[in-house]
Amino acid sequence: MATNRWSIVLFIAMVAAIASSVTAKEFIVGDDKVFNYAAGKHNVFRVNGTVFQQCMIPPVNEALTSGYDVITLQTPGRKWYIYGVGKHCEQGGMKLFITVLPQSIPPPAPWVSPVPSSKVFVVGDDKGWTLNFDYQAWAKGKQFFVGDKLVFRYAVGKHNVFRVNGTSFQQCTIPAATEALTSGYDVITLETPGRKWYICGVGKHCLMGLKLFINVLPQSTYPPPPYHGALKLAPHKF
């Protein structure tokens, strides 16, 4: 909580103004109250309600006399202050009464379910999309959610990527060439949950094991870290 500093100028001519200005203010635990006056001309005593009403001046060694007395309001409740020089408290009304409020506790923020963050999976990690690699072993233990991305990296012209169904995946049936992804850096966003199948359509690469099957889950409330596998996603030569 930011500390407020209330400056109260203690001069007899300003007593009425002090009373009216304090009435409109809120004092809260933790605030600082400043009594600003000419040192040696005035002083300040912290007293109780009875002393306040009767203007009973405490021992002089209890007075605040610096001319810039800072009092931190440490507890809630009523606080009383009087001026102890001559009869100024009794005759001139040089006294102050305030009520200090407890610190307000803000209500807890409403719980909001975290927004799922998408992850980027580089298929095969550093190996990329290539022969002589077990892609089912690579996928094992990973969780794929709607909104995540698969990145297939390979040398252009050496491989490609087809999205197929389960039957074509099992039989390595190659779709029409126009359906192939061939950029060497193919990014596929997983837009729907369910099983997804991918194969390479070059030569007999699919029959040689260049294929991937994954199961995509609905969006997760508590997403795992945003990256799996290689962090450098820029295309590179194999």
Side-chain angles (χ1 to χ4, degrees), residues 75-172:
T75 57
R78 298 178 177 182
K79 311 293 176 183
W80 299 270
Y81 306 92
I82 65 173
Y83 173 65
V85 175
K87 294 185 179 294
H88 290 173
C89 172
E90 182 178 352
Q91 297 179 353
M94 292 289 288
K95 57 204 300 189
L96 172 68
F97 160 66
I98 65 173
T99 297
V100 180
L101 303 175
Q103 284 186 342
S104 59
I105 301 175
W111 184 84
V112 178
S113 175
V115 177
S117 58
S118 63
K119 306 180 294 297
V120 178
F121 292 90
V122 181
V123 176
D125 297 333
D126 292 335
K127 294 293 185 181
W129 187 237
T130 188
L131 294 171
N132 302 316
F133 188 85
D134 188 343
Y135 288 94
Q136 292 318 122
W138 171 83
K140 186 176 180 180
K142 292 181 173 63
Q143 287 188 315
F144 303 90
F145 292 93
V146 169
D148 292 346
K149 291 177 172 58
L150 296 180
V151 178
F152 291 84
R153 297 189 305 171
Y154 54 89
V156 176
K158 188 174 181 180
H159 303 291
N160 59 24
V161 179
F162 284 94
R163 287 175 276 200
V164 297
N165 58 31
T167 302
S168 295
F169 180 85
Q170 291 293 336
Q171 300 177 2
C172 284

Side-chain angles (χ1 to χ4, degrees), residues 9-19 41-42 83 88 92-94:
V9 184
L10 299 182
F11 292 101
I12 295 175
M14 299 180 65
V15 171
I18 294 171
K41 187 174 181 181
H42 305 290
Y83 173 65
H88 290 173
M94 292 289 288

